[in-house]
Amino acid sequence: MSPSYSSAAGEVPAPCRALVLFGATGDLARRMLWPSLYALHCDGLLPEPFQLVGAATKPIPDAEFIARVHDAIRASANGSLFNEQAFEAFAKRIRYVAVDAAAEDGFAPLRATLAPGAGGVIYYLSTGPEHFGPISAQLGRSGLADAMSRIVVEKPIGTDTGTALQVNETMGSAFAERQVFRIDHYLGKEAVQNLLALRFGNAIFEPLWNSTAIDYVQITVAETVGIEGRWGYYDGVGALRDMVQSHVLQLLCLVAMEPPAGFTPSAVRNEKVKVLWSLRPMTRESVLTHTVRGQYAAGFSGGKPVPGYLEEAGARPASDNESFVALRAEVDNWRWAGVPFYLRTGKRMQERSSEIVIQFKPAPFNIFAGIGQNLAANMLLIKLQPNETITLSLMHKKPGLNEVRLGEVPLNLSLDDAFAASRKRIAYERMLLDVLRDNPALFVRRDEVEASWQWIDGIVHGWQAAGQKVKPYPAGSWGPTAAVALTERHGHSWHE
Ligand code: BG6
């Protein structure tokens, strides 16, 4: 069967005539979405005609709004692509409209602004999750959601299984699941998609990709930034719900999933959700030995002193919110039984680094032991950011005429160097293009969201029942010392 990117096999993707960006003046829109749309325009990847409608609550004249988009693109990661002539053509697509999702006919101005024509409308909700329900309900009521339209939402979908179900239900009342695109921007990163290419585009890894050859797996997503003034959102959500429920679990799925039957949305997502279903639930007892919560204290970042979480401007003084979490997860299935997956993410860490470590088991017998040579077990290090590299550590003989001396040598592949001629794309360029092409393979399906929340809820409930408090760690470190113990207890160690 040939791969199909549309929801029904053989169906031609519905063309789109417009994209409405709710939250059009917000931070994400400014830094990522307008610059990504501009890049797609410059590459000739937007359909013709294709209207871009910015929507937010405050009335802003079109010209002023367009000037803001202009400045946002120039200041963004895509600023180097900017040229006034191309922007002029891009700006012709743009209109701005003030909307009120709570008012009786609050989307009437939007209906009036959307140019009629064939093709569906994409509604991109770059808003707080509390607006997902009201906006989708209003789109349904005002007749703006039809069979051709699509809705795109950012994480987080809810704050636990119950609220995620509610959000999914409300969106489901106006849109069919095939029309819903849930973004996890990590899936838009080249390096993350490369994981699929590495695993399923090469035959050499598959025979080793299991508990027979692999000792343990580590996934680290470390950031150097602090809370960045996001109190309203982050405090009370914390690293577990902000990062693990979405990005970290998605990475885990890509590492642990079975080979899908094809690169089709259903095949890929079916395999990912099975991994989530296989995660061993955490209990009041296991959270004590399998999880560590941390909160950054004052320290240094980039050589400069920085305040602790509770000393940041606007801090809630008694906050027990975690800015770091380390977990020992277990995937209970045939492939992974007995292989720990150590997951760790935090803010104000020593380095910005996202990486996956596949630690292989030691050689079964060391023929060099008699001449005093130890063997280090092989390790595959997949670095996702800031640089994209793949390193396989191997044992080699050191050159020389004396006795055999062995050392560890990295076999290094820098993908940044190998593809130096290609422009580094913003993850959202890929995601927006996939929405336009009606390809949901890199978007999170409803059952994935709900399965990941179920596992996360178990941890949160465990923490509450066990009264597990955050442990402080100095800004600029690798987290609380308890996180070191989490791995060392089993004879393992974090790759740093
Ligand atoms: C977001 C989180 O989803 O991802 C932020 O809400 C985090 O807290 C960000 O800083 C990290 O994304 P990236 O692409 O910079 O690794």
Side-chain angles (χ1 to χ4, degrees):
M1 191 166 44
S2 67
S4 153
Y5 291 130
S6 56
S7 29
E11 208 177 81
V12 177
C16 293
R17 69 176 207 275
L19 181 144
V20 178
L21 180 52
F22 291 94
T25 51
D27 184 60
L28 182 73
R30 213 178 51 243
R31 288 186 304 118
M32 304 288 172
L33 301 175
W34 289 113
S36 298
L37 287 165
Y38 174 72
L40 295 181
H41 164 88
C42 292
D43 286 340
L45 292 170
L46 293 184
E48 290 295 350
F50 190 68
Q51 205 184 4
L52 295 168
V53 181
T57 47
K58 290 204 183 88
I60 308 173
D62 275 352
E64 184 187 327
F65 180 72
I66 289 170
R68 288 193 198 184
V69 173
H70 171 278
D71 295 350
I73 297 168
R74 288 193 68 156
S76 75
N78 279 353
S80 56
L81 293 181
F82 193 84
N83 101 51
E84 292 293 349
Q85 222 180 344
F87 184 78
E88 222 173 275
F90 180 64
K92 289 208 175 92
R93 301 176 181 275
I94 303 178
R95 297 285 307 277
Y96 177 82
V97 66
V99 290
D100 179 357
E104 178 63 20
D105 204 9
F107 281 7
L110 174 59
R111 210 181 307 116
T113 305
L114 278 170
V121 177
I122 298 167
Y123 300 103
Y124 194 123
L125 276 51
S126 171
T127 65
E130 66 281 12
H131 301 296
F132 295 171
I135 294 179
S136 29
Q138 180 75 278
L139 287 170
R141 267 201 309 278
S142 51
L144 287 165
D146 58 25
M148 300 259 276
S149 41
R150 287 158 217 175
I151 183 166
V152 187
V153 288
E154 284 287 333
K155 66 163 259 287
I157 310 281
T159 49
D160 57 15
T161 311
T163 47
L165 279 168
Q166 267 170 20
V167 175
N168 282 333
E169 284 298 322
T170 332
M171 289 195 296
S173 61
F175 297 90
E177 178 61 19
R178 66 171 176 82
Q179 297 173 281
V180 182
F181 290 74
R182 296 177 192 81
I183 289 210
D184 183 311
H185 79 276
Y186 266 55
L187 296 178
K189 291 180 191 263
E190 285 287 352
V192 175
Q193 290 163 36
N194 230 341
L195 268 174
L196 289 172
L198 183 78
R199 281 201 59 199
F200 304 122
N202 298 291
I204 57 169
F205 295 114
E206 180 52 23
L208 300 175
W209 212 261
N210 54 47
S211 61
T212 310
I214 294 176
D215 202 2
Y216 59 95
V217 175
Q218 280 178 16
I219 301 179
T220 296
V221 179
E223 300 183 274
T224 50
V225 293
I227 184 167
E228 297 178 293
R230 295 160 79 211
W231 286 96
Y233 161 68
Y234 192 81
D235 197 58
V237 169
L240 181 71
R241 287 185 268 214
D242 180 45
M243 295 295 285
V244 181
Q245 185 271 332
S246 47
H247 310 322
V248 177
L249 284 187
Q250 284 295 323
L251 293 178
L252 183 142
C253 286
L254 298 182
V255 172
M257 69 198 265
E258 294 300 315
F263 192 50
T264 65
S266 301
V268 171
R269 299 190 297 178
N270 286 349
E271 296 308 334
K272 283 199 295 163
V273 77
K274 285 185 206 162
V275 175
L276 297 169
W277 290 336
S278 309
L279 284 170
R280 187 180 303 169
M282 295 268 190
T283 61
R284 182 185 193 282
E285 287 69 40
S286 62
V287 291
L288 296 172
T289 48
H290 285 55
T291 75
V292 174
R293 304 178 67 215
Q295 188 185 71
Y296 64 85
F300 288 85
S301 180
K304 295 201 184 96
V306 290
Y309 186 81
L310 299 180
E311 297 139 16
E312 297 267 19
R316 200 163 57 84
S319 175
D320 184 57
N321 195 45
E322 82 279 353
S323 58
F324 170 95
V325 66
L327 307 169
R328 178 186 153 99
E330 265 126 341
V331 181
D332 284 339
N333 62 20
W334 275 45
R335 185 185 285 267
W336 296 115
V339 179
F341 281 73
Y342 296 107
L343 315 177
R344 158 177 85 153
T345 182
K347 297 206 182 277
R348 284 282 186 239
M349 306 281 285
Q350 198 170 101
E351 268 172 37
R352 176 170 184 252
S353 165
S354 299
E355 62 180 38
I356 296 165
V357 171
I358 310 291
Q359 180 65 57
F360 291 97
K361 290 188 170 160
F365 178 73
N366 180 5
I367 63 162
F368 305 102
I371 52 169
Q373 296 295 293
N374 292 326
L375 298 182
N378 303 118
M379 182 186 79
L380 180 68
L381 170 65
I382 306 166
K383 223 169 181 24
L384 307 171
Q385 53 186 33
N387 302 314
E388 203 182 334
T389 53
I390 297 174
T391 307
L392 180 64
S393 71
L394 298 171
M395 292 308 292
H396 276 266
K397 179 192 167 297
K398 292 181 182 168
L401 297 177
N402 296 332
E403 258 182 58
V404 172
R405 292 264 169 269
L406 297 183
E408 220 178 332
V409 180
L411 194 64
N412 240 334
L413 169 65
S414 161
L415 292 161
D416 292 334
D417 293 348
F419 298 109
S422 322
R423 176 172 73 80
K424 267 212 158 170
R425 298 202 170 253
I426 298 178
Y428 285 92
E429 294 177 36
R430 156 99 276 143
M431 305 311 274
L432 284 161
L433 190 59
D434 282 355
V435 179
L436 278 164
R437 291 180 173 165
D438 206 10
N439 177 8
L442 296 175
F443 293 80
V444 185
R445 206 168 57 187
R446 177 176 178 158
D447 52 355
E448 289 181 76
V449 175
E450 293 169 5
S452 58
W453 273 123
Q454 270 173 28
W455 190 68
I456 296 291
D457 282 356
I459 300 174
V460 174
H461 296 155
W463 283 347
Q464 284 160 355
Q468 198 163 338
K469 299 274 169 236
V470 291
K471 295 187 163 55
Y473 62 94
S477 69
W478 283 108
T481 42
V484 177
L486 183 82
T487 53
E488 291 199 340
R489 207 178 293 140
H490 304 279
H492 304 150
S493 56
W494 292 106
H495 177 256
E496 272 153 27

